[in-house]
């Protein structure tokens, strides 16, 4: 099956070149962008500012929408999981998470957890997506459409996005960086750079590239261990990413961007939740301005995962609190995070195309 030529795969610069090749002036590309991202048209015919000939050329050359909603599951806590189908039958998941103002109960911000791949090659032992293996990278159009489709379906504006859904975004570097460039273009009025977080297991060379890119964003490092030995057990790819090299790339990122870093840490009972771990974690946290989000381990037994995954048990809630206090005692900044959507398998690490009831 031929890969469709989605117009949302194109950054403004690239579209300007294409439109000039069609024989039109380059400012026409901005008119196309405004039709797609401001007016949210579904048909090039509706961009009335364009000459009819150019509209026809666009219709013949590009497709606008790349996703089909195949299932929606709503959680009791207000989060919603979307299952999207791609042109080749592959499926991906996106999670909508509303954050409520404690005083008036109104939604104060909306975060969308988006996918950058179908499946994932990293195969973390605590993650349901890893059990699917790698299927393919998503194009920029497929990543952007997750936001536009949810906004349209719910009639809301997404205020923050996190690349924490399916996939390791830095292994789909070019498409992810192009996506960020399109999303943050001021006239598209989609998102500000500061509202974008990219979660990574730490592909060191790409962290350094991102630091020098046009639009570096907030980094969330999936750390989950304070020793190379345990990290390699739960993140097989970490064999090639030793903690020293990871820390060196993070320091580089901070030096170049001045953006504080977030670490993600899932405590697993009796593996990475000891006093020594708290001490080492605090030491890591002090290397650049940063904080750690401590996240409870969410059950992935519904995937039938085997091997080391089966040995991992969540640290009980009171012990998580104790661990967080110890890290704080040793000088690290800590947030203990709630988890969204556990009842619909939409929580961190649970995305694996389970359709449920
Ligand atoms: S945690 Fe992220 S990198 Fe690891 S397997 Fe899951 S999706 Fe991939």
């Amino acid at each position: 099956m031929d890969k469709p030529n989605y117009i949302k795969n194109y950054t403004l610069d690239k579209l300007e070149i294409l439109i000039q090749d069609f024989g039109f002036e380059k400012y026409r590309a901005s008119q196309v962008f405004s039709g797609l991202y401001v007016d949210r048209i579904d048909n090039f015919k509706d961009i009335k500012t364009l000459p009819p000939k150019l509209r026809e050329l666009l219709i013949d050359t590009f497709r606008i929408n790349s996703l089909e909603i195949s299932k929606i599951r709503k959680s009791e806590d207000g989060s919603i999981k979307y299952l999207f189908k791609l042109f080749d039958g592959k499926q991906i998941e996106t999670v909508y998470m509303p954050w409520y103002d404690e005083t008036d109960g109104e939604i104060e911000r909306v975060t969308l957890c988006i996918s950058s791949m179908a499946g994932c090659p990293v195969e973390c032992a605590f993650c349901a997506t890893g059990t699917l293996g790698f299927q393919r990278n998503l194009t920029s159009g497929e990543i952007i459409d997750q936001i536009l489709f949810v906004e349209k379906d719910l009639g809301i504006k997404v205020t923050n996005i996190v690349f924490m859904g399916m996939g390791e975004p830095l292994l789909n570097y070019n498409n992810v960086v192009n996506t960020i460039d399109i999303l943050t273009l001021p006239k598209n009025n989609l998102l500000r750079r500061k509202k974008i977080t990219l979660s990574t297991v730490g592909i060191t060379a790409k962290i350094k590239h991102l630091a020098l890119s046009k639009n570096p964003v907030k980094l969330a490092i999936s750390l989950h261990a304070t020793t190379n030995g345990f990290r390699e057990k739960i993140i097989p790819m970490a064999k090639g990413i030793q903690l020293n090299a990871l820390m060196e790339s993070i320091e580089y990122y901070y030096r170049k961007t001045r953006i504080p870093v977030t670490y993600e840490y899932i405590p697993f009972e009796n593996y990475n939740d000891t006093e020594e771990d708290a001490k080492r974690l605090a030491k890591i946290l002090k290397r650049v301005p940063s904080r750690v989000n401590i996240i409870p381990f969410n059950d992935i037994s519904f995937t039938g995962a085997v091997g080391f995954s089966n040995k991992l048990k969540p640290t009980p809630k009171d012990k998580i609190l104790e661990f967080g206090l110890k890290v704080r005692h040793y000088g690290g900044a800590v947030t203990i995070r709630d988890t969204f959507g556990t009842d619909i398998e939409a929580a961190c690490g649970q995305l694996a195309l389970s359709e449920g009831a």
Side-chain angles (χ1 to χ4, degrees), residues 208-221:
K208 291 182 178 175
H209 284 179
L210 190 67
L212 303 177
S213 72
K214 211 164 31 167
N215 289 303
V217 293
K218 272 195 230 162
L219 276 190
I221 306 290

Side-chain angles (χ1 to χ4, degrees), residues 117 119-131 164-169 199-201 222 224 234-235 349 351:
M117 291 176 169
C120 182
V122 181
E123 300 185 0
C124 300
F126 51 86
C127 174
T129 308
T131 63
M164 285 185 194
M166 297 178 144
E168 163 51 62
S199 171
T200 174
V201 294
S222 269
H224 310 308
I234 53 168
I235 308 176
L351 300 185

Side-chain angles (χ1 to χ4, degrees), residues 43-318:
N43 192 320
F44 290 112
K45 278 194 197 127
D46 297 331
I47 312 182
K48 303 287 185 213
T49 46
L50 298 178
K53 178 84 189 113
L54 178 55
R55 279 186 248 161
E56 269 163 41
L57 278 166
L58 293 171
I59 291 169
D60 291 344
T61 315
F62 298 111
R63 279 204 12 212
I64 296 182
N65 292 322
S66 61
L67 306 177
E68 211 182 280
I69 297 181
S70 45
K71 185 148 189 134
I72 298 176
R73 290 179 71 191
K74 296 186 179 177
S75 163
E76 281 174 2
D77 62 21
S79 59
I80 302 174
K81 182 165 81 169
Y82 285 83
L83 184 66
F84 289 114
K85 196 158 143 205
L86 311 177
F87 80 94
D88 52 3
K90 307 243 178 313
Q91 304 207 80
I92 55 161
E93 291 176 334
T94 306
V95 182
Y96 157 88
M97 294 173 286
W99 299 81
Y100 296 94
D101 184 313
E102 279 173 17
T103 48
D104 60 12
E106 294 290 309
I107 293 179
E108 61 169 10
R109 65 182 202 276
V110 166
T111 301
L112 206 65
C113 175
I114 59 175
S115 295
S116 56
M117 291 176 169
C120 182
V122 181
E123 300 185 0
C124 300
F126 51 86
C127 174
T129 308
T131 63
L132 302 171
F134 176 63
Q135 298 173 1
R136 73 169 170 86
N137 284 334
L138 300 189
T139 67
S140 301
E142 288 165 335
I143 302 173
I144 293 167
D145 270 344
Q146 294 170 58
I147 303 164
L148 303 190
F149 272 54
V150 172
E151 287 193 344
K152 186 172 176 190
D153 186 55
L154 298 176
I156 48 106
K157 177 105 185 84
V158 169
T159 54
N160 299 61
I161 59 163
V162 288
F163 282 91
M164 285 185 194
M166 297 178 144
E168 163 51 62
L170 291 186
L171 291 179
N172 183 13
Y173 185 84
N174 289 341
N175 291 344
V176 165
V177 165
N178 282 348
T179 299
I180 294 170
D181 288 348
I182 295 168
L183 292 176
T184 54
L185 206 66
K187 58 181 149 206
N188 286 345
N189 193 26
L190 290 168
L191 280 159
R192 286 190 291 131
R193 183 167 63 90
K194 287 186 176 160
K195 303 291 181 184
I196 301 176
T197 301
L198 184 149
S199 171
T200 174
V201 294
I203 315 297
T204 52
K206 298 297 181 193
I207 288 177
K208 291 182 178 175
H209 284 179
L210 190 67
L212 303 177
S213 72
K214 211 164 31 167
N215 289 303
V217 293
K218 272 195 230 162
L219 276 190
I221 306 290
S222 269
L223 189 67
H224 310 308
T226 60
T227 61
N228 286 317
F230 182 61
R231 198 157 190 268
E232 287 169 14
K233 278 205 157 99
I234 53 168
I235 308 176
M237 196 173 268
K239 286 195 181 77
I241 316 167
Q242 298 292 289
L243 283 169
N244 271 346
L246 176 59
M247 293 317 302
E248 193 257 323
S249 71
I250 292 167
E251 282 168 353
Y252 180 86
Y253 197 82
Y254 181 74
R255 268 201 312 280
K256 295 289 174 195
T257 66
R258 297 283 148 191
I259 304 174
V261 171
T262 302
Y263 293 94
E264 291 154 9
Y265 198 92
I266 304 176
F268 301 103
E269 192 169 30
N270 300 329
Y271 278 112
N272 63 351
D273 57 358
T274 64
E275 179 93 25
E276 284 308 302
D277 283 300
K279 213 183 272 181
R280 284 190 294 260
L281 180 55
K283 201 168 163 198
I284 288 174
L285 292 175
K286 285 189 272 184
R287 288 179 68 156
V288 298
S290 67
R291 87 168 19 250
V292 63
N293 282 332
I294 299 187
I295 308 163
F297 176 41
N298 295 308
D299 181 32
I300 61 161
S301 56
F302 64 92
T303 62
V306 289
F308 192 67
S309 303
N310 280 336
K311 297 197 173 148
L312 298 173
K313 299 273 170 288
T315 296
K317 253 190 177 166
D318 53 332

